[in-house]
Amino acid sequence: QVQLVESGGRLVQTGGSLRLSCAASGRTFGSYSMGWFRQAPGKEREFVASISWTGGRTFYIDSVKGRFIIDRVNAENTVYLQMNSLKPEDTAIYYCAARRGLMGSRDYEYEYWGQGTQVTVSS
């Protein structure tokens, strides 16, 4: 069982930066691939980025490539999402998720979810 708690979301201006954190419980965090998803008002939840259990592989949707960076510190049971050059279209609730095994980009592939953190980018 893994429990996930996101933090770091807030109101930021266009062009600003935020660093989201996702703290995981459990001693087996290092065996889980992790993902970040987001859901904007009136829209379906969308994959943002994922990272392998070692941290050696990452994957991003095209709209955030070059702006967002996902990384993890297994010794701290934490995964991060560094978000730079933020745009109003990045406004959403951001969720982290965990799954055993390989990285995934579909929400049904993930077993555990956090409660989400709100990111609002003002124009």
Side-chain angles (χ1 to χ4, degrees):
Q1 188 80 8
V2 176
Q3 292 184 324
L4 305 172
V5 179
E6 302 95 334
S7 61
R10 62 176 176 86
L11 174 65
V12 64
Q13 291 186 334
T14 295
S17 296
L18 281 178
R19 185 170 174 82
L20 303 184
S21 300
C22 173
S25 65
R27 293 178 290 178
T28 60
F29 174 74
S31 64
Y32 288 84
S33 295
M34 301 296 295
W36 284 97
F37 291 76
R38 65 186 179 186
Q39 187 167 21
K43 295 188 177 182
E44 293 187 354
R45 188 161 53 191
E46 171 186 48
F47 169 79
V48 176
S50 61
I51 188 166
S52 63
W53 64 275
T54 65
R57 294 184 61 197
T58 58
F59 182 67
Y60 302 90
I61 55 168
D62 286 346
S63 61
V64 307
K65 283 181 181 177
R67 299 191 298 124
F68 290 12
I69 300 171
I70 185 172
D71 65 343
R72 65 190 297 166
V73 180
N74 286 346
E76 297 177 358
N77 279 15
T78 304
V79 62
Y80 300 97
L81 185 67
Q82 177 68 41
M83 305 188 295
N84 302 317
S85 301
L86 283 162
K87 305 175 182 180
E89 51 263 44
D90 295 318
T91 294
I93 299 173
Y94 283 72
Y95 300 89
C96 72
R99 70 180 300 252
R100 289 189 179 275
L102 300 177
M103 296 156 52
S105 60
R106 295 173 175 80
D107 55 7
Y108 62 79
E109 296 176 311
Y110 286 81
E111 303 163 65
Y112 303 104
W113 292 83
Q115 83 291 346
T117 186
Q118 177 71 50
V119 172
T120 303
V121 184
S122 64
S123 57

